[in-house]
Amino acid sequence: MAWSFVLEGLGLCGAYLVARKLWWSWLVLAVNSVLWVIYGWITSQWGFVLSSTAFFGIYLRNARKWRQTESAERAASGDTPSVTPAGAVGNLTSLKS
């Protein structure tokens, strides 16, 4: 019984993170769904297993969609993260005095 309260708490935390518009919050909820599937399996609640499996798929889809939207918005605004090799100094001509 305590396990169901812990899982519900994790679900509420995931919902809070979704409200903060963090794409990875959907992954928190997906992990929570997997744990609910295990719980449903152990307690022989097959409808629970089915619905939690469906929610798992929805959460993964939402994570992918949010991530794609975030990337597209970043590309449209020109705010792409710059990646430089480890140890790179950058533009050396700007260092001349």
Side-chain angles (χ1 to χ4, degrees):
M1 183 168 154
W3 203 28
S4 63
F5 287 114
V6 171
L7 293 178
E8 187 56 38
L10 182 59
L12 290 173
C13 288
Y16 172 77
L17 294 171
V18 166
R20 294 193 60 205
K21 299 185 180 183
L22 302 168
W23 75 266
W24 52 267
S25 59
W26 294 109
L27 300 180
V28 171
L29 290 169
V31 167
N32 192 43
S33 288
V34 169
L35 296 174
W36 276 115
V37 167
I38 294 167
Y39 177 81
W41 194 277
I42 290 170
T43 59
S44 299
Q45 298 181 52
W46 308 118
F48 218 39
V49 171
L50 181 62
S51 66
S52 294
T53 302
F55 279 118
F56 176 78
I58 291 167
Y59 295 150
L60 287 183
R61 177 194 171 276
N62 288 348
R64 192 188 77 219
K65 290 281 189 183
W66 277 35
R67 183 81 173 176
Q68 286 173 347
T69 301
E70 185 180 89
S71 296
E73 288 172 355
R74 221 182 291 135
S77 70
D79 184 27
T80 56
S82 60
V83 178
T84 57
V89 177
N91 186 355
L92 294 177
T93 59
S94 64
L95 297 176
K96 291 181 183 179
S97 346

